[in-house]
Amino acid sequence: MNKPSVVSFLITLLLAAAVCIQGGEPVKETVGNYLKTDQQYYIQPVNTNFPGGGLVPAPPTLFSLCPLGIVQTALDYIPGVPVSFSTPNAIMETTISTDDYVNIEFKSKIWFCDKFSKFWKVDESSSAAEEPSILVGGTKQEQNSWFKIENAGEGAEANTYKLTSFAGPVGTKLGTFKVPQLVVTNDKAKTLLVKFKKVDEVTTTTSTSRIEKLGLGMFPFY
């Protein structure tokens, strides 16, 4: 007489476990395809009120080159520097979900700061400001290099997301070069909303050609 109850209980547990595993939803790039760990993407701001392009590494101040910070390029035809996404402990290709912690890594072939990795991180140094900068030089296993890609919320344009870190939401402020610079901030008005555009050969070739013609190297924002 007790067997049906036991079976029902086990089914309930399995369903609950499935819900927990599938707590998030797949992150989508601009045309609706799922964000994958074996692809490269441009991260492009949609709400900075700045007529620029995508995200690129940049010196944080006039007097300091490394580690690089992250800004929105001032040139609207530059889609940004490609990035890839990975999960700290995954060893296989995967689809990125809104409840995953991910590492973000620039995929630039030109890199002036050889002593620093291309992974993003939150500046946790003793000299960090009240709104700490997002820098490169992170480590996959360190929590300050873990980010989440979350839905932008009700009313946001389709396939638009916000980035969060263990330290708080990622937003922007005007940096040294008067372009939006990525920081951690609790000011909701500064929260950065972004879209992800998959890198293809045409856009990569066009972007690289324009940067080289301008003689800007890896800093296409002046």
PDB file of all heavy atoms in Angstrom, residues 36-69:
ATOM      1  N   LYS A  36      27.712  30.499 -26.799  1.00  0.00           N
ATOM      2  CA  LYS A  36      28.470  29.263 -26.648  1.00  0.00           C
ATOM      3  C   LYS A  36      29.908  29.549 -26.193  1.00  0.00           C
ATOM      4  O   LYS A  36      30.486  30.588 -26.531  1.00  0.00           O
ATOM      5  CB  LYS A  36      28.515  28.498 -27.980  1.00  0.00           C
ATOM      6  CG  LYS A  36      27.162  28.045 -28.490  1.00  0.00           C
ATOM      7  CD  LYS A  36      26.710  26.783 -27.786  1.00  0.00           C
ATOM      8  CE  LYS A  36      25.492  26.178 -28.452  1.00  0.00           C
ATOM      9  NZ  LYS A  36      25.090  24.907 -27.797  1.00  0.00           N
ATOM     10  N   THR A  37      30.479  28.590 -25.497  1.00  0.00           N
ATOM     11  CA  THR A  37      31.844  28.763 -25.010  1.00  0.00           C
ATOM     12  C   THR A  37      32.890  28.573 -26.096  1.00  0.00           C
ATOM     13  O   THR A  37      34.048  28.938 -25.898  1.00  0.00           O
ATOM     14  CB  THR A  37      32.141  27.785 -23.855  1.00  0.00           C
ATOM     15  OG1 THR A  37      31.897  26.447 -24.308  1.00  0.00           O
ATOM     16  CG2 THR A  37      31.271  28.070 -22.653  1.00  0.00           C
ATOM     17  N   ASP A  38      32.513  28.008 -27.244  1.00  0.00           N
ATOM     18  CA  ASP A  38      33.499  27.791 -28.310  1.00  0.00           C
ATOM     19  C   ASP A  38      33.411  28.852 -29.399  1.00  0.00           C
ATOM     20  O   ASP A  38      33.971  28.688 -30.478  1.00  0.00           O
ATOM     21  CB  ASP A  38      33.327  26.395 -28.927  1.00  0.00           C
ATOM     22  CG  ASP A  38      31.989  26.220 -29.625  1.00  0.00           C
ATOM     23  OD1 ASP A  38      31.041  26.987 -29.320  1.00  0.00           O
ATOM     24  OD2 ASP A  38      31.878  25.323 -30.483  1.00  0.00           O
ATOM     25  N   GLN A  39      32.722  29.953 -29.126  1.00  0.00           N
ATOM     26  CA  GLN A  39      32.581  31.043 -30.091  1.00  0.00           C
ATOM     27  C   GLN A  39      33.154  32.333 -29.506  1.00  0.00           C
ATOM     28  O   GLN A  39      33.421  32.416 -28.305  1.00  0.00           O
ATOM     29  CB  GLN A  39      31.102  31.251 -30.459  1.00  0.00           C
ATOM     30  CG  GLN A  39      30.421  30.029 -31.040  1.00  0.00           C
ATOM     31  CD  GLN A  39      30.959  29.658 -32.411  1.00  0.00           C
ATOM     32  OE1 GLN A  39      31.367  30.519 -33.183  1.00  0.00           O
ATOM     33  NE2 GLN A  39      30.969  28.362 -32.705  1.00  0.00           N
ATOM     34  N   GLN A  40      33.328  33.339 -30.375  1.00  0.00           N
ATOM     35  CA  GLN A  40      33.784  34.653 -29.923  1.00  0.00           C
ATOM     36  C   GLN A  40      32.704  35.689 -30.222  1.00  0.00           C
ATOM     37  O   GLN A  40      31.969  35.568 -31.213  1.00  0.00           O
ATOM     38  CB  GLN A  40      35.090  35.044 -30.616  1.00  0.00           C
ATOM     39  CG  GLN A  40      36.262  34.152 -30.229  1.00  0.00           C
ATOM     40  CD  GLN A  40      37.562  34.597 -30.875  1.00  0.00           C
ATOM     41  OE1 GLN A  40      37.716  35.737 -31.300  1.00  0.00           O
ATOM     42  NE2 GLN A  40      38.523  33.675 -30.938  1.00  0.00           N
ATOM     43  N   TYR A  41      32.637  36.712 -29.364  1.00  0.00           N
ATOM     44  CA  TYR A  41      31.575  37.704 -29.467  1.00  0.00           C
ATOM     45  C   TYR A  41      32.115  39.113 -29.191  1.00  0.00           C
ATOM     46  O   TYR A  41      33.112  39.282 -28.483  1.00  0.00           O
ATOM     47  CB  TYR A  41      30.464  37.409 -28.441  1.00  0.00           C
ATOM     48  CG  TYR A  41      29.836  36.043 -28.610  1.00  0.00           C
ATOM     49  CD1 TYR A  41      30.373  34.932 -27.949  1.00  0.00           C
ATOM     50  CD2 TYR A  41      28.733  35.847 -29.435  1.00  0.00           C
ATOM     51  CE1 TYR A  41      29.824  33.669 -28.109  1.00  0.00           C
ATOM     52  CE2 TYR A  41      28.170  34.580 -29.590  1.00  0.00           C
ATOM     53  CZ  TYR A  41      28.722  33.498 -28.930  1.00  0.00           C
ATOM     54  OH  TYR A  41      28.179  32.251 -29.097  1.00  0.00           O
ATOM     55  N   TYR A  42      31.416  40.097 -29.755  1.00  0.00           N
ATOM     56  CA  TYR A  42      31.622  41.488 -29.367  1.00  0.00           C
ATOM     57  C   TYR A  42      30.590  41.818 -28.300  1.00  0.00           C
ATOM     58  O   TYR A  42      29.414  41.459 -28.423  1.00  0.00           O
ATOM     59  CB  TYR A  42      31.433  42.433 -30.554  1.00  0.00           C
ATOM     60  CG  TYR A  42      32.412  42.227 -31.677  1.00  0.00           C
ATOM     61  CD1 TYR A  42      31.976  41.791 -32.934  1.00  0.00           C
ATOM     62  CD2 TYR A  42      33.767  42.490 -31.520  1.00  0.00           C
ATOM     63  CE1 TYR A  42      32.859  41.608 -33.981  1.00  0.00           C
ATOM     64  CE2 TYR A  42      34.667  42.313 -32.563  1.00  0.00           C
ATOM     65  CZ  TYR A  42      34.203  41.869 -33.787  1.00  0.00           C
ATOM     66  OH  TYR A  42      35.086  41.679 -34.824  1.00  0.00           O
ATOM     67  N   ILE A  43      31.010  42.513 -27.252  1.00  0.00           N
ATOM     68  CA  ILE A  43      30.070  43.004 -26.249  1.00  0.00           C
ATOM     69  C   ILE A  43      29.794  44.465 -26.568  1.00  0.00           C
ATOM     70  O   ILE A  43      30.714  45.292 -26.561  1.00  0.00           O
ATOM     71  CB  ILE A  43      30.635  42.860 -24.825  1.00  0.00           C
ATOM     72  CG1 ILE A  43      30.987  41.400 -24.541  1.00  0.00           C
ATOM     73  CG2 ILE A  43      29.615  43.368 -23.807  1.00  0.00           C
ATOM     74  CD1 ILE A  43      31.544  41.172 -23.139  1.00  0.00           C
ATOM     75  N   GLN A  44      28.529  44.778 -26.830  1.00  0.00           N
ATOM     76  CA  GLN A  44      28.182  46.111 -27.305  1.00  0.00           C
ATOM     77  C   GLN A  44      27.155  46.769 -26.392  1.00  0.00           C
ATOM     78  O   GLN A  44      26.041  46.270 -26.225  1.00  0.00           O
ATOM     79  CB  GLN A  44      27.662  46.021 -28.741  1.00  0.00           C
ATOM     80  CG  GLN A  44      28.717  45.411 -29.676  1.00  0.00           C
ATOM     81  CD  GLN A  44      28.307  45.386 -31.125  1.00  0.00           C
ATOM     82  OE1 GLN A  44      27.147  45.153 -31.453  1.00  0.00           O
ATOM     83  NE2 GLN A  44      29.264  45.615 -32.016  1.00  0.00           N
ATOM     84  N   PRO A  45      27.538  47.895 -25.752  1.00  0.00           N
ATOM     85  CA  PRO A  45      26.614  48.614 -24.869  1.00  0.00           C
ATOM     86  C   PRO A  45      25.403  49.155 -25.641  1.00  0.00           C
ATOM     87  O   PRO A  45      25.520  49.530 -26.811  1.00  0.00           O
ATOM     88  CB  PRO A  45      27.475  49.769 -24.329  1.00  0.00           C
ATOM     89  CG  PRO A  45      28.886  49.290 -24.477  1.00  0.00           C
ATOM     90  CD  PRO A  45      28.889  48.482 -25.742  1.00  0.00           C
ATOM     91  N   VAL A  46      24.271  49.211 -24.953  1.00  0.00           N
ATOM     92  CA  VAL A  46      23.057  49.728 -25.598  1.00  0.00           C
ATOM     93  C   VAL A  46      22.437  50.895 -24.839  1.00  0.00           C
ATOM     94  O   VAL A  46      21.444  51.466 -25.294  1.00  0.00           O
ATOM     95  CB  VAL A  46      21.996  48.612 -25.766  1.00  0.00           C
ATOM     96  CG1 VAL A  46      22.519  47.511 -26.649  1.00  0.00           C
ATOM     97  CG2 VAL A  46      21.570  48.044 -24.418  1.00  0.00           C
ATOM     98  N   ASN A  47      23.028  51.281 -23.693  1.00  0.00           N
ATOM     99  CA  ASN A  47      22.356  52.307 -22.891  1.00  0.00           C
ATOM    100  C   ASN A  47      23.285  53.346 -22.283  1.00  0.00           C
ATOM    101  O   ASN A  47      22.951  53.970 -21.280  1.00  0.00           O
ATOM    102  CB  ASN A  47      21.562  51.652 -21.768  1.00  0.00           C
ATOM    103  CG  ASN A  47      22.458  51.065 -20.689  1.00  0.00           C
ATOM    104  OD1 ASN A  47      23.545  50.569 -20.979  1.00  0.00           O
ATOM    105  ND2 ASN A  47      22.026  51.110 -19.438  1.00  0.00           N
ATOM    106  N   THR A  48      24.472  53.558 -22.852  1.00  0.00           N
ATOM    107  CA  THR A  48      25.409  54.495 -22.234  1.00  0.00           C
ATOM    108  C   THR A  48      25.198  55.944 -22.696  1.00  0.00           C
ATOM    109  O   THR A  48      25.881  56.843 -22.219  1.00  0.00           O
ATOM    110  CB  THR A  48      26.867  54.100 -22.563  1.00  0.00           C
ATOM    111  OG1 THR A  48      27.036  54.045 -23.987  1.00  0.00           O
ATOM    112  CG2 THR A  48      27.193  52.739 -21.968  1.00  0.00           C
ATOM    113  N   ASN A  49      24.269  56.154 -23.640  1.00  0.00           N
ATOM    114  CA  ASN A  49      24.042  57.498 -24.194  1.00  0.00           C
ATOM    115  C   ASN A  49      25.330  58.086 -24.767  1.00  0.00           C
ATOM    116  O   ASN A  49      25.553  59.294 -24.744  1.00  0.00           O
ATOM    117  CB  ASN A  49      23.470  58.450 -23.123  1.00  0.00           C
ATOM    118  CG  ASN A  49      22.109  57.998 -22.642  1.00  0.00           C
ATOM    119  OD1 ASN A  49      21.266  57.589 -23.435  1.00  0.00           O
ATOM    120  ND2 ASN A  49      21.886  58.067 -21.349  1.00  0.00           N
ATOM    121  N   PHE A  50      26.170  57.198 -25.246  1.00  0.00           N
ATOM    122  CA  PHE A  50      27.456  57.594 -25.818  1.00  0.00           C
ATOM    123  C   PHE A  50      27.516  57.019 -27.228  1.00  0.00           C
ATOM    124  O   PHE A  50      27.328  55.820 -27.417  1.00  0.00           O
ATOM    125  CB  PHE A  50      28.597  57.027 -24.965  1.00  0.00           C
ATOM    126  CG  PHE A  50      29.974  57.394 -25.441  1.00  0.00           C
ATOM    127  CD1 PHE A  50      30.504  58.642 -25.175  1.00  0.00           C
ATOM    128  CD2 PHE A  50      30.737  56.474 -26.160  1.00  0.00           C
ATOM    129  CE1 PHE A  50      31.785  58.970 -25.605  1.00  0.00           C
ATOM    130  CE2 PHE A  50      32.019  56.801 -26.594  1.00  0.00           C
ATOM    131  CZ  PHE A  50      32.540  58.052 -26.318  1.00  0.00           C
ATOM    132  N   PRO A  51      27.762  57.857 -28.240  1.00  0.00           N
ATOM    133  CA  PRO A  51      27.710  57.382 -29.638  1.00  0.00           C
ATOM    134  C   PRO A  51      28.957  56.617 -30.044  1.00  0.00           C
ATOM    135  O   PRO A  51      29.660  56.972 -30.996  1.00  0.00           O
ATOM    136  CB  PRO A  51      27.573  58.684 -30.423  1.00  0.00           C
ATOM    137  CG  PRO A  51      28.296  59.699 -29.595  1.00  0.00           C
ATOM    138  CD  PRO A  51      28.021  59.311 -28.161  1.00  0.00           C
ATOM    139  N   GLY A  52      29.281  55.573 -29.298  1.00  0.00           N
ATOM    140  CA  GLY A  52      30.483  54.812 -29.583  1.00  0.00           C
ATOM    141  C   GLY A  52      30.180  53.410 -30.049  1.00  0.00           C
ATOM    142  O   GLY A  52      29.043  53.075 -30.401  1.00  0.00           O
ATOM    143  N   GLY A  53      31.208  52.559 -30.035  1.00  0.00           N
ATOM    144  CA  GLY A  53      31.072  51.185 -30.492  1.00  0.00           C
ATOM    145  C   GLY A  53      31.070  50.198 -29.348  1.00  0.00           C
ATOM    146  O   GLY A  53      30.425  50.424 -28.325  1.00  0.00           O
ATOM    147  N   GLY A  54      31.853  49.094 -29.515  1.00  0.00           N
ATOM    148  CA  GLY A  54      31.870  48.033 -28.522  1.00  0.00           C
ATOM    149  C   GLY A  54      32.930  48.224 -27.457  1.00  0.00           C
ATOM    150  O   GLY A  54      33.591  49.269 -27.384  1.00  0.00           O
ATOM    151  N   LEU A  55      33.096  47.203 -26.616  1.00  0.00           N
ATOM    152  CA  LEU A  55      34.030  47.279 -25.494  1.00  0.00           C
ATOM    153  C   LEU A  55      35.439  46.872 -25.914  1.00  0.00           C
ATOM    154  O   LEU A  55      35.625  45.916 -26.665  1.00  0.00           O
ATOM    155  CB  LEU A  55      33.557  46.376 -24.357  1.00  0.00           C
ATOM    156  CG  LEU A  55      32.197  46.727 -23.748  1.00  0.00           C
ATOM    157  CD1 LEU A  55      31.881  45.787 -22.591  1.00  0.00           C
ATOM    158  CD2 LEU A  55      32.147  48.181 -23.286  1.00  0.00           C
ATOM    159  N   VAL A  56      36.432  47.620 -25.414  1.00  0.00           N
ATOM    160  CA  VAL A  56      37.836  47.385 -25.740  1.00  0.00           C
ATOM    161  C   VAL A  56      38.683  47.572 -24.488  1.00  0.00           C
ATOM    162  O   VAL A  56      38.298  48.280 -23.565  1.00  0.00           O
ATOM    163  CB  VAL A  56      38.330  48.369 -26.835  1.00  0.00           C
ATOM    164  CG1 VAL A  56      37.564  48.191 -28.129  1.00  0.00           C
ATOM    165  CG2 VAL A  56      38.234  49.818 -26.361  1.00  0.00           C
ATOM    166  N   PRO A  57      39.877  46.952 -24.430  1.00  0.00           N
ATOM    167  CA  PRO A  57      40.807  47.226 -23.329  1.00  0.00           C
ATOM    168  C   PRO A  57      41.454  48.590 -23.528  1.00  0.00           C
ATOM    169  O   PRO A  57      41.682  49.017 -24.661  1.00  0.00           O
ATOM    170  CB  PRO A  57      41.833  46.093 -23.444  1.00  0.00           C
ATOM    171  CG  PRO A  57      41.794  45.690 -24.886  1.00  0.00           C
ATOM    172  CD  PRO A  57      40.382  45.923 -25.351  1.00  0.00           C
ATOM    173  N   ALA A  58      41.749  49.253 -22.419  1.00  0.00           N
ATOM    174  CA  ALA A  58      42.328  50.598 -22.508  1.00  0.00           C
ATOM    175  C   ALA A  58      43.102  50.929 -21.251  1.00  0.00           C
ATOM    176  O   ALA A  58      42.773  50.436 -20.170  1.00  0.00           O
ATOM    177  CB  ALA A  58      41.212  51.629 -22.703  1.00  0.00           C
ATOM    178  N   PRO A  59      44.148  51.776 -21.349  1.00  0.00           N
ATOM    179  CA  PRO A  59      44.860  52.212 -20.148  1.00  0.00           C
ATOM    180  C   PRO A  59      43.906  52.926 -19.197  1.00  0.00           C
ATOM    181  O   PRO A  59      43.108  53.758 -19.630  1.00  0.00           O
ATOM    182  CB  PRO A  59      45.908  53.192 -20.697  1.00  0.00           C
ATOM    183  CG  PRO A  59      46.079  52.803 -22.130  1.00  0.00           C
ATOM    184  CD  PRO A  59      44.731  52.340 -22.580  1.00  0.00           C
ATOM    185  N   PRO A  60      43.946  52.615 -17.912  1.00  0.00           N
ATOM    186  CA  PRO A  60      43.005  53.222 -16.968  1.00  0.00           C
ATOM    187  C   PRO A  60      43.236  54.705 -16.717  1.00  0.00           C
ATOM    188  O   PRO A  60      42.304  55.429 -16.375  1.00  0.00           O
ATOM    189  CB  PRO A  60      43.209  52.402 -15.687  1.00  0.00           C
ATOM    190  CG  PRO A  60      44.596  51.852 -15.813  1.00  0.00           C
ATOM    191  CD  PRO A  60      44.816  51.619 -17.278  1.00  0.00           C
ATOM    192  N   THR A  61      44.477  55.167 -16.865  1.00  0.00           N
ATOM    193  CA  THR A  61      44.791  56.586 -16.670  1.00  0.00           C
ATOM    194  C   THR A  61      45.816  57.014 -17.706  1.00  0.00           C
ATOM    195  O   THR A  61      46.408  56.187 -18.402  1.00  0.00           O
ATOM    196  CB  THR A  61      45.366  56.861 -15.268  1.00  0.00           C
ATOM    197  OG1 THR A  61      46.681  56.289 -15.178  1.00  0.00           O
ATOM    198  CG2 THR A  61      44.474  56.268 -14.177  1.00  0.00           C
ATOM    199  N   LEU A  62      46.076  58.301 -17.754  1.00  0.00           N
ATOM    200  CA  LEU A  62      47.075  58.838 -18.679  1.00  0.00           C
ATOM    201  C   LEU A  62      48.481  58.383 -18.320  1.00  0.00           C
ATOM    202  O   LEU A  62      49.369  58.345 -19.165  1.00  0.00           O
ATOM    203  CB  LEU A  62      47.017  60.373 -18.662  1.00  0.00           C
ATOM    204  CG  LEU A  62      45.815  61.030 -19.352  1.00  0.00           C
ATOM    205  CD1 LEU A  62      45.781  62.523 -19.039  1.00  0.00           C
ATOM    206  CD2 LEU A  62      45.869  60.801 -20.854  1.00  0.00           C
ATOM    207  N   PHE A  63      48.686  58.048 -17.056  1.00  0.00           N
ATOM    208  CA  PHE A  63      50.043  57.765 -16.580  1.00  0.00           C
ATOM    209  C   PHE A  63      50.260  56.291 -16.255  1.00  0.00           C
ATOM    210  O   PHE A  63      51.284  55.911 -15.707  1.00  0.00           O
ATOM    211  CB  PHE A  63      50.339  58.611 -15.341  1.00  0.00           C
ATOM    212  CG  PHE A  63      50.075  60.079 -15.547  1.00  0.00           C
ATOM    213  CD1 PHE A  63      48.932  60.660 -15.032  1.00  0.00           C
ATOM    214  CD2 PHE A  63      50.941  60.854 -16.296  1.00  0.00           C
ATOM    215  CE1 PHE A  63      48.673  62.011 -15.240  1.00  0.00           C
ATOM    216  CE2 PHE A  63      50.695  62.203 -16.509  1.00  0.00           C
ATOM    217  CZ  PHE A  63      49.557  62.783 -15.978  1.00  0.00           C
ATOM    218  N   SER A  64      49.289  55.454 -16.599  1.00  0.00           N
ATOM    219  CA  SER A  64      49.404  54.034 -16.284  1.00  0.00           C
ATOM    220  C   SER A  64      48.901  53.207 -17.456  1.00  0.00           C
ATOM    221  O   SER A  64      47.787  53.406 -17.928  1.00  0.00           O
ATOM    222  CB  SER A  64      48.589  53.707 -15.026  1.00  0.00           C
ATOM    223  OG  SER A  64      48.584  52.322 -14.775  1.00  0.00           O
ATOM    224  N   LEU A  65      49.718  52.268 -17.923  1.00  0.00           N
ATOM    225  CA  LEU A  65      49.313  51.421 -19.043  1.00  0.00           C
ATOM    226  C   LEU A  65      48.708  50.108 -18.564  1.00  0.00           C
ATOM    227  O   LEU A  65      47.659  49.689 -19.044  1.00  0.00           O
ATOM    228  CB  LEU A  65      50.519  51.123 -19.943  1.00  0.00           C
ATOM    229  CG  LEU A  65      50.270  50.156 -21.112  1.00  0.00           C
ATOM    230  CD1 LEU A  65      49.207  50.703 -22.052  1.00  0.00           C
ATOM    231  CD2 LEU A  65      51.561  49.874 -21.865  1.00  0.00           C
ATOM    232  N   CYS A  66      49.367  49.444 -17.617  1.00  0.00           N
ATOM    233  CA  CYS A  66      48.919  48.119 -17.187  1.00  0.00           C
ATOM    234  C   CYS A  66      48.640  48.115 -15.680  1.00  0.00           C
ATOM    235  O   CYS A  66      49.310  48.806 -14.929  1.00  0.00           O
ATOM    236  CB  CYS A  66      49.986  47.088 -17.500  1.00  0.00           C
ATOM    237  SG  CYS A  66      50.382  46.953 -19.255  1.00  0.00           S
ATOM    238  N   PRO A  67      47.670  47.316 -15.235  1.00  0.00           N
ATOM    239  CA  PRO A  67      46.777  46.496 -16.058  1.00  0.00           C
ATOM    240  C   PRO A  67      45.739  47.356 -16.769  1.00  0.00           C
ATOM    241  O   PRO A  67      45.382  48.435 -16.295  1.00  0.00           O
ATOM    242  CB  PRO A  67      46.115  45.576 -15.033  1.00  0.00           C
ATOM    243  CG  PRO A  67      46.093  46.392 -13.770  1.00  0.00           C
ATOM    244  CD  PRO A  67      47.376  47.167 -13.796  1.00  0.00           C
ATOM    245  N   LEU A  68      45.283  46.886 -17.904  1.00  0.00           N
ATOM    246  CA  LEU A  68      44.337  47.626 -18.706  1.00  0.00           C
ATOM    247  C   LEU A  68      42.946  47.613 -18.085  1.00  0.00           C
ATOM    248  O   LEU A  68      42.524  46.637 -17.462  1.00  0.00           O
ATOM    249  CB  LEU A  68      44.259  47.025 -20.116  1.00  0.00           C
ATOM    250  CG  LEU A  68      45.550  47.084 -20.936  1.00  0.00           C
ATOM    251  CD1 LEU A  68      45.442  46.163 -22.142  1.00  0.00           C
ATOM    252  CD2 LEU A  68      45.840  48.505 -21.375  1.00  0.00           C
ATOM    253  N   GLY A  69      42.228  48.717 -18.275  1.00  0.00           N
ATOM    254  CA  GLY A  69      40.822  48.764 -17.920  1.00  0.00           C
ATOM    255  C   GLY A  69      39.981  48.399 -19.136  1.00  0.00           C
ATOM    256  O   GLY A  69      40.504  47.921 -20.146  1.00  0.00           O
TER     257      GLY A  69
END
